[in-house]
Amino acid sequence: MTEISRLLRLPAVIDRVGLCKATIYKLISTEEFPKPVKLTSSGRSVAWRESEVNRWVASRQVSV
């Protein structure tokens, strides 16, 4: 069974991860951050799966 996840637009992703747009796209280019999904055929409108963003955040948490 596939996992159903909300889609987050860029402002929500920025708020969730605390990084700026440029850093997020740099991490995407180095495959260190989840790639967005295209919402339109042109690809100009994209969003991120909330579950993937949450997993990325969880993987960065370090216990002190």
Side-chain angles (χ1 to χ4, degrees):
M1 189 149 86
T2 58
E3 178 182 342
I4 298 175
S5 181
R6 287 183 32 192
L7 295 176
L8 302 174
R9 299 301 302 269
L10 184 58
V13 173
I14 290 170
D15 186 55
R16 180 82 49 101
V17 301
L19 300 172
C20 70
K21 176 181 175 178
T23 301
I24 291 170
Y25 277 99
K26 182 177 180 179
L27 291 172
I28 291 168
S29 73
T30 59
E31 299 183 1
E32 296 177 65
F33 193 81
K35 290 183 179 181
V37 294
K38 294 178 182 179
L39 299 179
T40 60
S41 58
S42 68
R44 290 181 50 94
S45 183
V46 298
W48 284 258
R49 288 179 182 91
E50 183 179 37
S51 59
E52 291 179 1
V53 173
N54 288 341
R55 276 194 293 273
W56 184 88
V57 170
S59 73
R60 298 314 182 266
Q61 294 177 343
V62 181
S63 58
V64 180

